[in-house]
């Protein structure tokens, strides 16, 4: 039996169902679900996503599919009692795209298909409204000309504007039937002038070409850009939905609108949206007219509002998610034109998921799958400090279309935004956005429009992208290119100048509930934090960290009062002098460790011994060479400036500065990343390792005596050979044993290593004989595996992205084929030699969702990331567990 590609639907029946999103697209699946549920849906049919790919491959729709379309069209004609092309009572159609994942505004729609010189007369007779009929025909000529024939839509807009000028009116709605007929005929003439042929009058040819144009729009640059941005695969294709037209522009008892079953910005369980009386759907989202809040529909068309509210509540219960719907009221009769899972902000995603669980509509696994890590990250963005806003000048107020704080320079076009974003944050300022602005919206940190509402293109796309947005703010002529703006998408306010931002506090009840669900699902797959101070440790624990996976001790030495002692150690000529300098650092490190152990009471703390090369604690060599040269001829004032800059007294300057230069020159390396650093420093200067281990052990001792429960784990970095680890382990064990012997208190310190050299992964069985745990440092492991510096990669990364050489930035997303294979080998060999070996990852990949999923698949015990990414890692870890169990579900999971 031949594969089916066309699926019909009508009132009470459908060939497909709501689970067939891969075949029918999100819109088509929603139409099928509504039709099956008895929702008032105009009849139609969906041409499957597979046909889009066949059309792309062959340049034509297969003949068998054409036959299916003809049969489906006949069924629509039978159900409506009208025929396509009938001059007396014509059936008019809409053709809309509808991919598996929502791509708002990225692809094309054509309405009022089937109009020509004969059928427009029939529509006048049927409706009794010449103005309505010519308005429909005018819109069709514009849409078909732009979408199917590739004519710049601005050319049609110019014709409309010129007719308004001639008629002396400012609004489209003020044009007469004769005016609209004139615009239509001017549009038809424009089509013939620019294409060399008249606009097709045969409705079936109109349908074929409109369908093909919808398929072509899947490959349009803006749609391709959006898919790349949202990580939607190119080969999914789009469905084409063909549906009988119903009209919201038949007078004061007709309307059209869009809405959500809950507020998509906050998640509040209220009917949310906008509508226009006597209008077609494009009027609501285009920004051409300012729509009214959906609540007002209860005043103007109360029966239709009541039916709409009951219908969409039933739909949400049936489909188990926030629904984004379009509706038309035609002379008092309600029709639902589409429903799909709605785009939402991070705040709304969390609340809706939690509320749906509480309402019994979904289970916890589904809730956790529904919230993407990117959405959760929105809750962790800064907010404005109220006091700083008070000092700025408010310049506009519009609709709070997508929440959050954004500060940046104004860019008045999408192209300008892309260029300006290279030099700093930008806010895209437009009269209204269109799908062609997508690259500028992506580059901007916030979006501001003069017209449009909460369901405008700008608002819908901004919410999906997590960008703050203020829509419909009125005249924005006072804003110039490059002006600094502060935009509050939560209140709708816009200020001139730069407001101060504050760290967010995501700890709402809904956030806490979702995190609790995620933690129950991920079980013993742990999430730790990379922190170096007691304050960061406390914050990480508040955000749910289950310990510290990486404490970088070198970060404790860079403060001004400490770097002096570090430099004294580096400049020392003998061991005794180095030990004297280290003795001054010991109590400072011990105090830091005490604070960290207290913050992480009862949880593991992995502390890495000194890792970077020593020259990083000294001024740059070029700078020192210039300063030494200046010293010989410096004035007293210049000497004072030099002394202050290097933290030296006037008497130290002449001796110390040249000595500093000599030492820096001694330490200079051709490739410091692969030079004298990590365990190599501890082997050359064992007193450094000794001091750090003593500080850790003494801190653990003090916290233990105070009733605390420190869980220290010492990690030796950059090990490539087990002999290096054994050397450093012996020092650590000796120091710990001395303290335990003196006090009689067992400290239980684990000693392990950081796997960041390919050879360590290849010889993990040998390394494990001297290590109680492994922690993969994937930042350096990626560099050493690729033979590529992370810092230098940025210089040629744009070219690599342009050519598609790397699927993902390997320093952002863990490379599974190369670096990942080393991880997998390290885990297998390490645990083969030491069963039960604790293994984690502490590179930046530990906070990236796809990398976390890989770490779970190969059996790591935990991931570790920066504090503010801990909630994201907790959610991603839970989703990784669900994916492994085959229970991932939910559109939000596509990036994990």
């Amino acid at each position: 039996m031949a594969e089916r590609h066309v699926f019909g639907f009508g009132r009470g029946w459908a060939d497909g169902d709501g689970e067939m999103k891969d075949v029918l697209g999100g819109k088509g699946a929603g139409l099928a679900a509504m039709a099956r549920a008895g929702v008032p849906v105009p009849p139609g049919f969906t041409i499957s996503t597979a046909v889009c790919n066949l059309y792309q491959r062959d340049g034509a729709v297969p003949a068998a599919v054409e036959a299916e379309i003809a049969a489906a069209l006949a069924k629509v004609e039978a159900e409506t009692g009208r025929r396509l092309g009938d001059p007396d009572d014509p059936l008019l159609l809409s053709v809309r795209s509808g991919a598996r994942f929502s791509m708002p505004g990225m692809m094309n729609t054509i309405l009022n298909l089937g109009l020509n010189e004969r059928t427009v007369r029939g529509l006048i007779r049927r409706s009794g409204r010449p103005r309505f009929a010519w308005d429909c025909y005018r819109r069709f000529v514009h849409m078909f000309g732009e979408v199917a024939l590739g004519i710049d839509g601005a050319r049609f807009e110019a014709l409309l504007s010129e007719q308004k000028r001639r008629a002396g009116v400012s609004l489209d709605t003020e044009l007469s039937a004769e005016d609209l007929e004139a615009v239509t005929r001017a549009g038809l003439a424009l089509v013939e002038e620019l294409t060399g042929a008249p606009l097709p009058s045969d409705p079936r040819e109109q349908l074929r070409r409109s369908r093909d144009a919808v398929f072509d729009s899947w490959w349009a640059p803006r749609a391709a850009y959006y898919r790349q941005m949202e990580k939607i695969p190119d080969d999914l294709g789009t469905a084409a939905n063909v549906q009988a037209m119903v009209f919201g522009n038949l007078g004061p008892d007709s309307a059209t609108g869009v809405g959500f079953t809950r507020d998509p910005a906050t998640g509040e369980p209220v009917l949310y949206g906008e509508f226009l009386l006597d209008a077609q759907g494009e009027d609501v989202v285009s920004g051409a007219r300012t729509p009214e809040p959906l609540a007002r529909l209860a005043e103007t068309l109360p029966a239709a509002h009541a039916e709409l509210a009951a219908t969409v509540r039933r739909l949400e219960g049936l489909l188990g998610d926030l629904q984004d719907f379009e509706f038309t009221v035609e002379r008092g009769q309600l029709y639902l034109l589409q429903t799909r899972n709605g785009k939402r902000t991070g705040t709304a995603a969390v609340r809706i998921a939690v509320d749906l669980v509480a309402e019994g509509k979904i289970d916890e696994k589904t809730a956790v799958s529904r919230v993407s890590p990117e959405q959760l990250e929105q809750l962790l963005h800064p907010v404005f400090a109220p006091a700083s806003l008070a000092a700025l000048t408010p310049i506009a107020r519009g609709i709070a279309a997508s929440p959050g704080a954004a500060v940046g320079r104004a860019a008045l076009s999408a192209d300008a935004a892309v260029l300006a974003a290279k030099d700093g944050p930008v806010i895209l300022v437009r009269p209204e956005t269109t799908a062609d602005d997508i690259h500028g919206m992506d580059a901007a940190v916030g979006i501001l429009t003069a017209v449009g509402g909460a369901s405008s293109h700008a608002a819908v796309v901004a919410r999906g992208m997590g960008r703050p947005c203020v829509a419909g703010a009125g005249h924005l002529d006072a804003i110039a290119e490059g002006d600094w703006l502060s935009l509050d998408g939560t209140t709708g306010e816009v200020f001139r100048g730069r407001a101060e931002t504050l760290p967010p506090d995501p700890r709402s009840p809904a956030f806490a509930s979702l995190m609790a669900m995620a933690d129950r699902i991920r079980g013993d797959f742990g999430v730790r934090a990379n922190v170096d101070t007691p304050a960061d440790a406390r914050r990480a624990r508040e955000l749910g960290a289950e310990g510290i996976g990486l404490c970088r001790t070198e970060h404790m030495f860079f403060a001004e009062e400490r770097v002096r002692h570090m430099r004294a150690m580096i400049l020392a000529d003998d061991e005794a002098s180095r030990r004297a300098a280290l003795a001054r650092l010991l109590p400072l490190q011990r105090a830091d460790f005490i604070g960290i152990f207290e913050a992480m009471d009862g949880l593991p703390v992995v502390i890495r011994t000194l890792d970077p090369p020593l020259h990083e604690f000294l001024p740059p060599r070029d700078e020192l060479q210039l300063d030494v040269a200046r010293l010989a001829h410096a004035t007293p004032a210049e000497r004072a400036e030099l002394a202050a800059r290097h933290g030296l007294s006037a008497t130290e300057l002449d001796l110390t500065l040249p000595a500093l230069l000599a030492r820096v020159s001694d330490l200079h390396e051709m490739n410091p990343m692969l030079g004298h650093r990590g365990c190599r420093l501890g082997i050359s200067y064992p007193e450094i390792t000794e001091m750090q281990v003593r500080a850790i052990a003494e801190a653990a001792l003090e916290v233990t005596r105070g009733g605390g429960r420190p869980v220290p784990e010492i990690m030796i970095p950059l090990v490539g050979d087990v002999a290096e680890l054994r050397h450093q382990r012996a020092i650590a064990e000796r120091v710990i044993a001395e303290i335990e012997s003196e006090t009689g208190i067992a400290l239980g310190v684990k000693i392990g290593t950081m796997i960041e050299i390919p050879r360590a992964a290849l010889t993990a069985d040998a390394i494990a004989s001297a290590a109680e745990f492994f922690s993969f440092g994937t930042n350096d492991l990626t560099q050493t595996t690729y033979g590529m510096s992370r810092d230098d990669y940025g210089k040629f990364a744009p070219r690599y992205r342009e050519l598609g050489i790397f699927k993902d930035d390997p320093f952002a997303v863990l490379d599974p084929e190369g670096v990942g294979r080393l991880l997998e080998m390290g885990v297998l060999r390490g645990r083969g030699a030491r069963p039960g070996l604790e293994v984690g990852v502490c590179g930046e990949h530990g906070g990236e969702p796809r990398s976390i999923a890989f770490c779970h698949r190969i059996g790591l015990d935990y991931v570790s990331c920066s504090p503010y990414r801990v909630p994201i890692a907790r959610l991603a870890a839970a989703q990784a567990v669900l994916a492994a169990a085959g229970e991932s579900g939910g559109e939000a999971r596509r990036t994990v």
Side-chain angles (χ1 to χ4, degrees), residues 382-394 405 407 486 488 490-491 493 495 498-504:
V383 295
F384 283 135
S388 71
L389 290 177
L392 300 183
T393 303
V407 179
S486 295
D488 194 330
T490 305
T491 65
E493 296 172 295
F495 301 83
R498 304 171 68 176
E500 178 191 353
T501 56
L502 298 173

Side-chain angles (χ1 to χ4, degrees), residues 832-886:
R834 185 187 287 263
L837 179 75
E838 177 187 271
V839 184
V841 65
C842 63
E844 285 303 307
H845 301 100
E848 196 282 317
R850 282 179 285 169
S851 306
I852 291 170
F854 178 83
C855 291
H856 177 263
R857 284 198 301 274
I858 66 171
L860 267 61
D861 294 300
Y862 67 86
V863 294
S864 189
C865 57
S866 61
Y868 280 99
R869 291 198 68 81
V870 164
I872 296 164
R874 291 163 67 191
L875 177 67
Q879 292 178 344
V881 170
L882 289 174

